[in-house]
Amino acid sequence: MSNIIPYDKYKYILNYPKYELGVFDCYTVIKDTLNSAYGIDIPNYARPKNFDMPPLELFERIAKEDFFIERPSLDVKQFEAGDILSFKVKSGNVNHVAIYLGNNLFLHQMFESLPREDNLSLSWMRRLAAVHYHQDVDQKKVLVDLIDLMPEHLKVERYVE
């Protein structure tokens, strides 16, 4: 199984305009990538100003939805393409989310910026608060068994007893 989101599934997101809360923001990047890469639709929650502050703490509340499952480890070796990374950027609350692309890369859109791919560096790992995945992502991944790629006559020759 491939543990990457192919570039052609998210490259259009890199052309989104500059950050606009609730329209073109970090949550939009996740929502659109999950849809493009896996055909998964997640709700488009309203994201008002101060969405990350108590009592809203929107991203932490979204992460508790039934369709999101928390990864027990923050070890990057355990991450899968499509994982949602929650960060605390200059805050005590989760105020930024991104989607893991695989190969130590993630896709996100910061405040007043364009969307971009970034390396999951030590600096980002220090800000990482949680990792979640959508319950349907594993079901949507295409599994390829190498035997399926073999010509029929070789399958019969090698695997029939």
Side-chain angles (χ1 to χ4, degrees):
M1 174 172 54
S2 176
N3 189 24
I4 62 165
I5 295 177
Y7 180 71
D8 67 336
K9 295 291 185 182
Y10 67 87
K11 67 182 177 184
Y12 72 96
I13 292 171
L14 295 169
N15 294 318
Y16 280 4
K18 196 172 176 180
Y19 181 97
E20 182 181 340
L21 182 61
V23 182
F24 294 105
D25 58 19
C26 58
Y27 185 78
T28 305
V29 168
I30 288 171
K31 183 179 179 327
D32 292 354
T33 304
L34 284 174
N35 185 269
S36 176
Y38 304 109
I40 294 171
D41 286 318
I42 59 174
N44 190 22
Y45 300 94
R47 297 177 293 285
K49 189 174 181 180
N50 297 323
F51 65 89
D52 59 318
M53 303 301 289
L56 290 180
E57 296 176 315
L58 182 63
F59 290 149
E60 292 179 27
R61 288 179 39 216
I62 292 171
K64 292 178 182 163
E65 291 281 8
D66 290 343
F67 47 82
F68 284 126
I69 300 165
E70 186 169 3
R71 290 218 180 272
S73 172
L74 294 182
D75 181 355
V76 72
K77 293 178 215 149
Q78 304 296 318
F79 297 175
E80 296 281 335
D83 282 357
I84 296 159
L85 311 175
S86 298
F87 296 100
K88 295 179 180 180
V89 180
K90 298 180 183 177
S91 173
N93 302 315
V94 172
N95 60 354
H96 185 58
V97 290
I99 189 160
Y100 188 69
L101 300 171
N103 292 336
N104 214 40
L105 292 174
F106 66 99
L107 181 66
H108 66 128
Q109 185 165 11
M110 297 287 293
F111 181 69
E112 295 188 356
S113 297
L114 297 171
R116 68 179 189 245
E117 299 167 293
D118 261 323
N119 191 310
L120 194 52
S121 65
L122 184 57
S123 174
W124 279 109
M125 287 299 292
R126 286 185 187 129
R127 299 174 180 142
L128 188 63
V131 179
H132 293 82
Y133 62 96
H134 192 283
Q135 66 185 3
D136 295 335
V137 166
D138 281 340
Q139 296 170 16
K140 302 283 185 171
K141 288 182 181 176
V142 178
L143 299 175
V144 177
D145 188 341
L146 293 179
I147 196 168
D148 292 335
L149 301 177
M150 294 173 70
E152 292 298 322
H153 71 280
L154 289 178
K155 288 181 194 177
V156 172
E157 288 175 15
R158 295 190 181 176
Y159 297 98
V160 173
E161 294 183 29

